[in-house]
Amino acid sequence: MNDAAPAHTPAPATRRARVRAPELIGKGGWLNTGGKDLTLADFRGRILILDFWTFCCINCLHVLDELRELEEKHRDTVVIVGVHSPKFAHEAEHAAVVDAVERYEVHHPVLDDPELATWKQYAVRAWPTLVVIDPEGYVVAQHAGEGHAHAIERLVAELEAEHAAKGTLRRGDGPYVAPEPVASDLRFPGKALLLDSGNFLVSDSTRHQLVEMAPDGESVVRRIGSGERGFTADSFSEPQGIALLPDGRVVVADTVNHALRTYDPATGAVETVAGTGRQWWQGSATSGPALEVDLSSPWDVAWWQGKVWIAMAGVHQLWTWDPGTGTVGVAAGTTNEGLVDGPAAEAWFAQPSGLAATEDRLWVADSETSALRYLEREGEEYVVRTAVGTGLFDFGHRDGDAAQALLQHPLGVTALPDGSVAVCDTYNHALRRFDPAAGEVSTLATDLREPSDAVLVGGDIVVVESARHRLTRLRLPEEAVRVDAVAHRTQRAATEVAPGTLRLDVVFQAPSGQKLDTRYGPSTRLLVSSTPPGLLLAGEGPGTDLFRDLTLNPEVTEGVLHVSAMAASCDDDPANEYPACHVHQQDWGVPVTVTADGTARLPLVLAGMDA
């Protein structure tokens, strides 16, 4: 099959591959350590899990939540270290990483690695990636993507037993030091809306609440929710999008609870109307009774054409909830991450995070492609089109003709009365404007701090300055602000590949005590495509093997390979008629450059070690 360990054979603990772990280096230094700089030697005797993440990435946020239980259960033997490895230019700013660590309640040490030094040392190719290092300082496993917490839990138990017997396990408190809490009325607010009363309702995401504020945008009228993370009638978990329903209730995207809730301003009642509290995985239902179908990190909501539309950031899709029938379903997107226009069912999104409805269009802030997109009817079908943006790896701050204009990870979009739209260009700290009539992009305001939403109030626009923890009222300007153009590509280095045939190997080793689940057919899936599409002459499309020979076009010297892999494994216990099963999945966008002395093999580790 390939020169890695066979995909169907779990590596026994006694034969576990061991590679000496490289040192941890990051120009930004350490967070959550009380000011202390750490080295690998400080973790000797402990099981160390490196979580390579970047704060824009929804899959990384999913993994943070996956790890919370393991982190608590094995607090005396396991240390998790987040290695922050930026994709966007803004994410390389140290202050932004400090904010993100607080925003997402990261309760372990974090190494700020703005130049990707440690990322390169560990040969990481995807966000998120988890690397397990044993108490003697050897790398023993690597996992890309989501769904690996159960496998790491089993590996941790094996390592605890093995190193306790050898006398190389050291128990005790870890190096985490909590930062001092900061008092403010809002803490990393996400979205806002104007209530019929003239008050604002704001999702106070890090405090797990909704906050009603007076028309001045400063005075707190009431708080909704206990402020503790949870999934009860009195609790939320990092709520984001909110939208007013025709009956006066507010629908809330309860993001980390993977649910939609409603809040009635008249009675204060909170009700769950969609989602189970579980995260959607490949193979789960994509439509049906709303309270029986799993969702995945709904980030924004909007009322359009008689339904609530949902920016389902966790699976790169748009869904709808129909309050009349009590059902949900996929409306656009394939779950593949990228920028592809066309019929709604075939379009690709990349973490849609903001919605705004007009009579004939639903505008979408598609954050990971730094794009402004929209959905509209064409006959009986919906189609997706892109107004601004080109793909996953190009971003910046450039005004002018929309075809060459650049945004940087926008999270919010607001329809303006003249038919144009305002874009909260989050990582550029700016409010931008797209005029469909002229096909032009301009800048309305700068010196905002991670704006994530905006609300029209008369001739003013009230911006949610998420990283300044406040609402900021601006007069809509008649003239644009002049901004020097800046263009970026991700700092991540392209992989040099040889022309001709490229062997793609997705490395997957089922966790110890498990085997591939083949009861209902193949348990693995591989989907390959490229940008530009002409990069590949052969090898595109779906399949069930985790390896493939790709034929590169000699006339295209650079591009991006899009690889999506999934594997399902179950407990290997013949006596158990209903074994517990788990899905492992990851999407890679791999920038490549074709050179004569490049590699002829591209290994991507889903789980295990590439031998």
Side-chain angles (χ1 to χ4, degrees):
M1 212 167 79
N2 57 49
D3 57 357
H8 59 277
T9 305
T14 55
R15 296 174 48 220
R16 188 180 296 120
R18 302 203 320 162
V19 177
R20 176 65 72 179
E23 189 54 83
L24 304 177
I25 304 166
K27 190 174 182 181
W30 289 85
L31 305 175
N32 284 355
T33 63
K36 181 180 178 181
D37 290 337
L38 301 175
T39 67
L40 273 177
D42 294 306
F43 304 104
R44 189 59 60 87
R46 310 296 292 274
I47 300 164
L48 177 62
I49 300 173
L50 302 182
D51 176 15
F52 288 86
W53 70 299
T54 188
F55 63 78
C56 72
C57 162
I58 191 68
N59 311 93
C60 299
L61 304 185
H62 289 166
V63 167
L64 282 176
D65 290 315
E66 285 180 7
L67 292 176
R68 294 187 198 278
E69 183 178 346
L70 183 144
E71 187 170 23
E72 182 60 35
K73 181 178 179 181
H74 297 273
R75 186 165 294 280
D76 66 333
T77 59
V78 171
V79 177
I80 297 174
V81 167
V83 182
H84 189 268
S85 313
K87 171 185 173 180
F88 289 100
H90 170 58
E91 293 175 307
E93 298 175 15
H94 183 69
V97 181
V98 173
D99 283 346
V101 167
E102 179 190 351
R103 180 193 296 263
Y104 297 116
E105 297 182 304
V106 180
H107 293 164
H108 50 247
V110 173
L111 175 64
D112 181 12
D113 183 19
E115 296 177 346
L116 302 181
T118 296
W119 165 288
K120 294 170 186 173
Q121 286 292 310
Y122 281 81
V124 174
R125 294 184 184 274
W127 297 278
T129 290
L130 299 170
V131 176
V132 182
I133 300 172
D134 74 12
E136 294 178 287
Y138 290 91
V139 175
V140 293
Q142 182 171 325
H143 302 265
E146 305 176 47
H148 301 294
H150 68 285
I152 293 177
E153 166 79 34
R154 184 182 289 268
L155 177 57
V156 163
E158 290 180 359
L159 290 172
E160 285 176 340
E162 178 183 335
H163 289 274
K166 290 173 66 175
T168 50
L169 184 69
R170 177 168 57 90
R171 297 179 181 270
D173 293 333
Y176 170 68
V177 178
E180 289 294 321
V182 180
S184 59
D185 287 331
L186 298 173
R187 206 71 194 157
F188 299 104
K191 307 286 185 180
L193 64 80
L194 188 64
L195 296 171
D196 292 339
S197 64
N199 289 348
F200 295 98
L201 189 66
V202 185
S203 56
D204 196 16
S205 302
T206 296
R207 294 234 175 92
H208 314 297
Q209 291 180 315
L210 306 179
V211 178
E212 186 175 341
M213 308 191 82
D216 62 8
E218 297 179 3
S219 307
V220 174
V221 175
R222 76 184 79 177
R223 294 182 178 275
I224 300 96
S226 65
E228 296 295 324
R229 184 191 295 271
F231 192 31
T232 69
D234 191 38
S235 60
F236 300 92
S237 188
E238 297 181 34
Q240 287 285 343
I242 44 181
L244 202 58
L245 297 175
D247 63 7
R249 292 180 300 162
V250 174
V251 61
V252 182
D254 196 3
T255 304
V256 177
N257 278 329
H258 309 295
L260 296 189
R261 323 287 292 279
T262 55
Y263 162 64
D264 189 338
T267 66
V270 174
E271 180 185 359
T272 301
V273 294
T276 63
R278 298 184 300 270
Q279 183 185 338
W280 186 94
W281 288 97
Q282 291 287 351
S284 301
T286 56
S287 64
L291 291 171
E292 299 174 14
V293 177
D294 299 339
L295 308 181
S296 182
S297 295
W299 205 274
D300 202 6
V301 282
W303 179 259
W304 189 54
Q305 298 192 349
K307 296 180 180 180
V308 171
W309 289 70
I310 309 163
M312 202 72 77
V315 285
H316 318 300
Q317 291 179 313
L318 303 181
W319 287 44
T320 59
W321 168 55
D322 186 337
T325 62
T327 57
V328 293
V330 175
T334 64
T335 75
N336 294 316
E337 184 180 14
L339 193 155
V340 176
D341 289 341
E346 301 171 15
W348 292 21
F349 294 92
Q351 216 167 298
S353 302
L355 300 175
T358 63
E359 185 176 348
D360 57 352
R361 284 183 178 176
L362 181 68
W363 293 94
V364 182
D366 201 31
S367 61
E368 279 293 287
T369 53
S370 298
L372 173 64
R373 307 177 72 187
Y374 60 92
L375 195 74
E376 64 182 357
R377 273 194 179 275
E378 192 172 85
E380 295 300 312
E381 304 294 331
Y382 288 106
V383 294
V384 176
R385 295 190 170 92
T386 299
V388 183
T390 59
L392 285 166
F393 298 108
D394 295 294
F395 51 91
H397 192 147
R398 182 193 286 151
D399 289 329
D401 180 68
Q404 55 84 53
L406 294 172
L407 308 170
Q408 187 180 182
H409 198 80
L411 290 179
V413 59
T414 306
L416 300 180
D418 63 358
S420 65
V421 291
V423 180
C424 286
D425 194 5
T426 308
Y427 287 3
N428 281 327
H429 312 300
L431 187 68
R432 312 285 292 283
R433 175 177 178 263
F434 169 65
D435 180 356
E440 295 279 328
V441 175
S442 56
T443 298
L444 299 177
T446 58
D447 194 32
L448 301 167
R449 188 70 185 170
E450 292 194 16
S452 55
D453 198 18
V455 181
L456 277 177
V457 184
D460 296 342
I461 190 164
V462 176
V463 179
V464 179
E465 276 198 273
S466 189
R468 282 202 179 110
H469 320 293
R470 70 187 188 189
L471 304 184
T472 298
R473 185 181 292 261
L474 305 172
R475 176 67 63 179
L476 272 173
E478 295 182 3
E479 295 186 5
V481 177
R482 179 171 176 78
V483 177
D484 291 334
V486 178
H488 298 287
R489 281 185 66 83
T490 179
Q491 288 191 58
R492 183 177 162 194
T495 299
E496 294 187 351
V497 297
T501 300
L502 176 67
R503 174 68 167 212
L504 171 65
D505 281 325
V506 174
V507 178
F508 177 76
Q509 296 160 342
S512 177
Q514 294 185 18
K515 64 179 180 179
L516 289 177
D517 178 17
T518 57
R519 291 172 298 166
Y520 309 108
S523 61
T524 56
R525 187 190 69 178
L526 181 64
L527 177 67
V528 180
S529 62
S530 66
T531 304
L535 175 64
L536 290 180
L537 294 178
E540 286 191 319
T544 57
D545 290 322
L546 291 181
F547 61 93
R548 191 173 301 176
D549 288 329
L550 310 178
T551 304
L552 300 171
N553 186 343
E555 297 180 3
V556 180
T557 58
E558 62 178 5
V560 179
L561 292 175
H562 303 281
V563 180
S564 178
M566 184 274 289
S569 62
C570 295
D571 291 345
D572 189 7
D573 181 3
N576 186 353
E577 185 178 356
Y578 303 104
C581 297
H582 308 274
V583 175
H584 317 254
Q585 63 184 47
Q586 172 64 6
D587 294 336
W588 291 266
V590 183
V592 295
T593 301
V594 181
T595 60
D597 54 355
T599 182
R601 176 177 178 263
L602 177 62
L604 300 175
V605 177
L606 178 60
M609 298 283 286
D610 181 32

